[in-house]
Amino acid sequence: MSNLQRTLPSSRCVDDFYRGLNWILTDKFSDDIQKCLDYGRDGGRGATIFVPGGDHYIASTLHVWTDLTLLLDQRARIWTDQPIDMVRVYAGAELTGGTIQNTTTISGGMTDDIGVVTLVAESENRFFSNTATRVNNIYIRGQSDTRGAGLDLRALTPTTTENAALSYVMFDRLNFTGHGSGIRLSVESQLGEPAKPFVNGNNFSNMVFA
């Protein structure tokens, strides 16, 4: 971590967040993680949010905004028992390290359209070679009797003439256990739309499925 490293006060973010500052999370609740990510989005680009070792429960989706890095200590686990997309990564963001686990079962409401880590391409959130999006070095966990996907890549019907593209994302060293689908690629398209969604040209290396 850089010499700008600071410690995040428990249960809140401070007001002087600025570009390039790296925060260390000290509490273990999703509100703090998302609050720091929101500060990174609003306060400037290039920030890294570091999540230390231990269990961190979330009840709603975490959004890793463009130009931010969510860095998990290898001993850190973000987990939920809710049927939700757990972490959504935006174009130009990076998600790395640790374990992300959804313990929800089918009887608990898990369905096939839920992902542990999701990337969603829309007209306003397009993934191209210049966005440098990365997801790497993560254990992605589900339940043995569950549905859903460990990594879910979706391209939605464009609302403008711009293509909804999900391409050139770097996926490396991902370890999958307990999902209906380890990796799922899908598009939502309608005939007659001015532009089309697509998922292609992504790089997958060192994938492990158990």
Side-chain angles (χ1 to χ4, degrees):
M1 307 293 287
S2 76
N3 58 7
L4 294 177
Q5 175 178 301
R6 301 281 184 86
T7 299
L8 172 68
S10 178
S11 299
R12 69 182 181 89
C13 282
V14 301
D15 292 330
D16 63 347
F17 190 100
Y18 63 91
R19 186 172 184 172
L21 183 60
N22 298 319
W23 292 104
I24 293 182
L25 188 73
T26 59
D27 216 340
K28 295 186 177 181
F29 300 95
S30 63
D31 286 348
D32 286 333
I33 300 175
Q34 189 59 58
K35 189 179 295 183
C36 284
L37 291 166
D38 291 346
Y39 262 84
R41 174 196 60 191
D42 299 337
R45 297 180 175 181
T48 295
I49 311 303
F50 177 73
V51 180
D55 288 343
H56 305 264
Y57 177 81
I58 65 173
S60 58
T61 303
L62 292 177
H63 296 269
V64 185
W65 306 111
T66 297
D67 294 316
L68 299 183
T69 296
L70 182 60
L71 172 63
L72 279 65
D73 184 275
Q74 282 304 113
R75 298 165 296 175
R77 181 180 71 132
I78 294 176
W79 73 281
T80 192
D81 55 5
Q82 302 297 311
I84 59 172
D85 292 335
M86 289 190 63
V87 182
R88 179 172 173 180
V89 180
Y90 288 73
E94 181 171 353
L95 174 65
T96 185
T99 297
I100 303 175
Q101 182 174 17
N102 195 326
T103 65
T104 309
T105 62
I106 295 173
S107 61
M110 179 62 80
T111 59
D112 286 332
D113 60 350
I114 292 173
V116 175
V117 176
T118 64
L119 288 78
V120 182
E122 302 169 290
S123 298
E124 299 78 20
N125 185 52
R126 298 182 295 157
F127 297 77
F128 283 127
S129 57
N130 61 344
T131 56
T133 310
R134 296 181 177 86
V135 178
N136 55 73
N137 198 27
I138 304 170
Y139 289 89
I140 300 176
R141 299 288 184 253
Q143 291 291 96
S144 59
D145 64 341
T146 196
R147 294 173 178 163
L151 179 62
D152 193 7
L153 310 183
R154 310 171 193 162
L156 304 183
T157 299
T159 56
T160 70
T161 57
E162 300 287 348
N163 288 322
L166 206 169
S167 302
Y168 300 104
V169 180
M170 303 295 293
F171 300 98
D172 184 31
R173 291 170 293 157
L174 302 181
N175 188 303
F176 300 87
T177 300
H179 308 285
S181 302
I183 301 174
R184 179 174 58 219
L185 288 68
S186 62
V187 296
E188 176 191 301
S189 182
Q190 299 177 12
L191 294 176
E193 290 291 330
K196 302 299 181 184
F198 57 88
V199 180
N200 67 358
N202 297 289
N203 187 290
F204 299 88
S205 58
N206 301 304
M207 304 286 111
V208 176
F209 301 89

